[in-house]
Amino acid sequence: MRYNIITRNKRLLYITIAAITIGTGLFIRIKKHLFPGVFNLYAGDALYAVMMYFLVSAITKKHLLLKAIIILAVCYAIEFSQLYKVAWIETIRQTLPGKLVLGSGFLYTDLVSYAIGTAFAFFVDYLLIDKGQGAR
């Protein structure tokens, strides 16, 4: 029984962190003038990877490193999908939800931002949440 309580608490924590990350990303996007330009360029993509990591963590019990690899692959796939230019997906990308989820243009620097965000989320999970115990 104790195992289920820990699992539920951890799942709730992951969802809470993902929600806070979404809020932080939207705040940065709305209040761009409060932050340095270079921060505005890369923070959104790094936070996207953080959010994805914790959302996936809330629904799976995979090993931490495997989750990080999956998230990085998904983020990279989304970024590379921006090279695919057809009318229907471009129409989706021009909406706010489409732009937030699918992005709008391929940039190599976004790949670095995703790697940094994924690494950050992995280490937060490993050091503060999982405490080096491995996936349960």
Side-chain angles (χ1 to χ4, degrees), residues 82-102:
Q82 294 170 24
L83 296 171
Y84 182 64
K85 305 284 185 187
V86 292
W88 69 270
I89 200 163
E90 290 301 311
T91 302
I92 294 171
R93 286 186 180 125
Q94 290 176 6
T95 66
L96 182 59
K99 187 174 185 176
L100 291 173
V101 173
L102 299 174

Side-chain angles (χ1 to χ4, degrees), residues 86-133:
V86 292
W88 69 270
I89 200 163
E90 290 301 311
T91 302
I92 294 171
R93 286 186 180 125
Q94 290 176 6
T95 66
L96 182 59
K99 187 174 185 176
L100 291 173
V101 173
L102 299 174
S104 57
F106 177 83
L107 294 171
Y108 286 105
T109 54
D110 289 352
L111 301 175
V112 175
S113 296
Y114 294 137
I116 291 168
T118 302
F120 175 80
F122 170 84
F123 283 112
V124 166
D125 195 3
Y126 180 77
L127 297 172
L128 302 178
I129 300 169
D130 194 68
K131 296 182 178 114
Q133 297 173 9

Side-chain angles (χ1 to χ4, degrees), residues 14-90:
Y14 286 139
I15 292 169
T16 302
I17 293 170
I20 290 169
T21 304
I22 292 168
T24 302
L26 292 172
F27 176 78
I28 290 169
R29 189 169 187 79
I30 292 167
K31 300 289 187 178
K32 286 182 179 183
H33 63 279
L34 297 176
F35 303 98
V38 70
F39 183 81
N40 288 326
L41 286 174
Y42 304 112
D45 293 313
L47 287 171
Y48 184 84
V50 171
M51 178 221 38
M52 291 288 288
Y53 180 93
F54 287 110
L55 285 178
V56 167
S57 295
I59 60 174
T60 185
K61 295 179 185 178
K62 299 290 185 196
H63 188 274
L64 302 179
L65 187 57
L66 181 58
K67 286 190 293 189
I69 291 167
I70 290 168
I71 294 312
L72 199 54
V74 168
C75 289
Y76 279 16
I78 290 170
E79 188 66 24
F80 280 108
S81 78
Q82 294 170 24
L83 296 171
Y84 182 64
K85 305 284 185 187
V86 292
W88 69 270
I89 200 163
E90 290 301 311

